[in-house]
Amino acid sequence: MAFRDILEIEVIGGNGGDGSMSFHRAKYMEKGGPDGGHGGKGGSIILRAVEGVESLERLLGRRKFKAGTGNGGEGRLRNGSDAEDIIIDVPVGTTAFDAETGKAVADLITPGQLKTVARGGAGGRGNSVFASSTRQAPRFSEIGVRGQKRKLRLELRLIADVGLVGYPNAGKSSLLAALSNANPMIAAYPFTTLSPILGVVSAKNDEERLTLADIPGIIEGASEGKGLGLEFLRHISRTRMLVYVLDVAVDPARELQALQAELRSYDPSLLDSMALIALNKIDTVEEDVAMIAEDELAKFGLPVLQVSAAEKMGLSELRLALFELLPSRELWAQTHALEVESDLIVVPALELELREEADKDGQVERIWMVKGGGFEEKIERFARHLEDAAEYLSGVFKRQGLYNALKRVGAREGDSVDIGGLRFEYFEDNDDSRR
Ligand SMILES: Nc1nc2c(ncn2[C@@H]2O[C@H](COP(=O)(O)OP(=O)(O)OP(=O)(O)O)[C@@H](O)[C@H]2O)c(=O)[nH]1
Ligand SMILES: [Mg+2]
């Protein structure tokens, strides 16, 4: 079975339903008031972290997720219903990146955590809301906002609680086998373990559990591609605690120093993780040799535990230390969670550019091209009844400060304003009431 842990998917939020343009009809009434209801919200695509899934494999076969469109509003003030959100379950430890920008969109590290990755569009408003004393029969309504659409790169990093790191042959797999339910391959030659393996460790009382990850051995020069390289460190970059497994008989202090240098070159924050040293294979040396090694290792400032995976020595102390020292998920997340994109909708910055065009009589017409500021989107929403909505829109633009902004860059009475191809006449904003 291939271990798929990087996957690209496409997520498409549903469009909002359109607002309705309708007028009340009743017997004996010539013309009733506007009664168009609002459109419902489009469905969003949401990622949810679930425990107990170890690969993204589950998602295979389906690469595209599209949420439904909100229902349209109707007359008699009937609002369209919202479309349902689509929830995609992914394993705890999944990070989603925007495939185009490379930015992190979601970092799911605790079970049950949710993150919207493609927003459904808001529903359009019906014509009833646009009625005012001066506009009693608005002949326009909004269309729904388009849903967000993008490609995501999902990356799964095993979120084991504890990661075993060490040189090849140090006895990592032997320790995993001795402490957990896992059955890794163990052999007296380096690079026996070729891909990460997880095991579940139970506390003595059997109430608490933690997961332990065994990864291929690391050697000096791994950051330059020696051995199996550092690729597998990705899997322990999200563990909350490291156990350095060292063979007591082969200069453990030197090995630890080399290991830490490799880890540092991959990701310096790995060295800030909670860690302890399992000084392994103590059955192979005299007691004083182990004591000297332990003293030497003391300078690293980490707890040292003497163990023998083969002879099952010191294992209950090691197990106890794991449960005692493991930082809580919440505490860990405070310092290690990736910075992800916020849920706020970002309005692109307003850009104003003056264009001068000669008309057929040789008169120069000044046109202000407007980009950003959310104005084009605003117009798009009235695409169905642009002419009828023009006066309303002009008022909105004024309230949102467009004309003031134009004035600051030198707009004059008689200039035109072009927003997404639609032309308005610029007028001086003499309204002092809002100062
Ligand atoms: N005497 C003794 N031998 C051990 C002990 N722990 C592991 N070994 C032996 O050391 C050898 C390597 O053990 P592994 O557990 O495969 O080592 P590893 O660190 O997983 O090695 P790689 O997967 O190659 O990185 C095997 O022959 C084990 O039986 C121990 O505590 N005492
Ligand atoms: Mg191994």
Side-chain angles (χ1 to χ4, degrees):
M1 183 192 81
F3 184 74
R4 278 309 289 260
D5 54 4
I6 294 183
L7 198 68
E8 246 189 45
I9 60 170
E10 189 177 12
V11 286
I12 306 164
N15 298 340
D18 296 339
S20 148
M21 214 249 321
S22 159
F23 292 93
H24 184 65
R25 270 171 225 270
K27 269 187 193 165
Y28 318 118
M29 253 174 92
E30 185 62 27
K31 195 177 160 203
D35 70 353
H38 310 321
K41 192 183 161 308
S44 294
I45 313 281
I46 299 169
L47 298 184
R48 175 171 62 191
V50 292
E51 249 174 332
V53 191
E54 277 173 30
S55 85
L56 289 163
E57 188 99 45
R58 230 168 105 145
L59 286 175
L60 281 177
R62 191 158 169 211
R63 297 301 178 87
K64 195 167 169 180
F65 297 84
K66 190 171 190 293
T69 303
N71 280 319
E74 288 173 45
R76 300 174 184 225
L77 295 173
R78 277 171 302 185
N79 296 334
S81 53
D82 295 346
E84 278 193 23
D85 295 335
I86 292 183
I87 295 182
I88 308 175
D89 282 339
V90 296
V92 171
T94 300
T95 309
F97 299 91
D98 185 305
E100 256 149 52
T101 65
K103 288 207 177 107
V105 174
D107 187 26
L108 301 168
I109 51 187
T110 44
Q113 199 179 337
L114 301 168
K115 174 78 194 185
T116 300
V117 288
R119 244 188 319 267
R125 289 174 293 172
N127 68 333
S128 51
V129 294
F130 301 110
S132 67
S133 54
T134 52
R135 191 191 309 113
Q136 290 179 2
R139 304 197 54 81
F140 57 89
S141 61
E142 276 179 324
I143 57 177
V145 173
R146 232 187 297 273
Q148 204 180 4
K149 172 179 176 174
R150 60 176 156 193
K151 287 210 169 75
L152 295 178
R153 195 179 80 248
L154 301 181
E155 250 187 61
L156 170 65
R157 295 180 271 200
L158 292 182
I159 297 231
D161 300 312
V162 183
L164 298 169
V165 275
Y167 267 63
N169 234 21
K172 298 177 297 298
S173 301
S174 304
L175 269 180
L176 178 75
L179 291 169
S180 80
N181 62 341
N183 242 326
M185 185 152 138
I186 295 166
Y189 52 83
F191 302 116
T192 306
T193 304
L194 296 173
S195 60
I197 297 169
L198 274 187
V200 179
V201 184
S202 306
K204 227 178 191 155
N205 58 20
D206 217 27
E207 268 169 23
E208 284 170 283
R209 275 157 191 227
L210 56 79
T211 50
L212 185 59
D214 174 23
I215 60 168
I218 292 159
I219 57 173
E220 198 169 352
S223 48
E224 287 122 51
K226 293 210 177 122
L228 291 172
L230 294 179
E231 186 204 332
F232 299 105
L233 286 179
R234 186 159 56 89
H235 291 291
I236 56 156
S237 64
R238 315 294 281 163
T239 60
R240 287 176 279 152
M241 182 168 158
L242 296 178
V243 174
Y244 294 107
V245 183
L246 305 172
D247 183 337
V248 65
V250 290
D251 200 351
R254 222 204 68 74
E255 278 201 354
L256 181 54
Q257 202 171 1
L259 273 177
Q260 288 194 326
E262 296 302 329
L263 260 55
R264 190 180 295 115
S265 75
Y266 178 80
D267 175 5
S269 76
L270 277 173
L271 295 195
D272 302 331
S273 301
M274 178 64 73
L276 64 80
I277 297 167
L279 188 57
N280 191 29
K281 306 197 186 182
I282 54 161
D283 59 296
T284 64
V285 296
E286 296 295 326
E287 219 169 280
D288 54 334
V289 175
M291 282 317 296
I292 292 167
E294 186 176 327
D295 284 347
E296 241 192 301
L297 288 168
K299 68 172 184 235
F300 289 87
L302 301 173
V304 183
L305 284 105
Q306 296 193 20
V307 298
S308 163
E311 299 298 324
K312 309 226 178 308
M313 295 157 71
L315 294 183
S316 39
E317 289 83 353
L318 177 57
R319 191 189 303 263
L320 204 65
L322 294 181
F323 283 97
E324 270 179 7
L325 297 178
L326 184 68
S328 74
R329 276 202 169 110
E330 289 66 29
L331 197 68
W332 183 85
Q334 280 171 17
T335 49
H336 286 75
L338 284 182
E339 198 174 307
V340 300
E341 174 190 278
S342 82
D343 286 328
L344 296 174
I345 297 175
V346 184
V347 177
L350 180 63
E351 285 174 45
L352 304 172
E353 187 205 321
L354 178 62
R355 208 175 274 178
E356 295 184 300
E357 283 173 16
D359 66 13
K360 50 183 187 297
D361 307 323
Q363 288 277 77
V364 175
E365 199 188 351
R366 290 163 41 100
I367 305 150
W368 292 94
M369 310 299 291
V370 176
K371 284 222 171 80
F375 295 110
E376 291 146 283
E377 290 80 356
K378 192 87 201 164
I379 285 181
E380 251 172 56
R381 301 195 65 184
F382 292 92
R384 287 191 311 190
H385 319 104
L386 259 185
E387 250 167 60
D388 291 301
E391 178 233 320
Y392 161 79
L393 281 170
S394 180
V396 170
F397 297 156
K398 178 181 156 191
R399 280 198 300 282
Q400 294 185 342
L402 178 62
Y403 297 124
N404 278 334
L406 284 164
K407 189 176 185 176
R408 278 198 296 277
V409 293
R412 309 196 286 253
E413 204 76 49
D415 289 354
S416 294
V417 180
D418 182 303
I419 309 174
L422 197 74
R423 298 258 164 117
F424 291 84
E425 199 179 326
Y426 169 77
F427 60 89
E428 294 272 310
D429 187 0
N430 294 319
D431 179 7
D432 281 17
S433 60
R434 290 177 64 244
R435 295 232 173 104

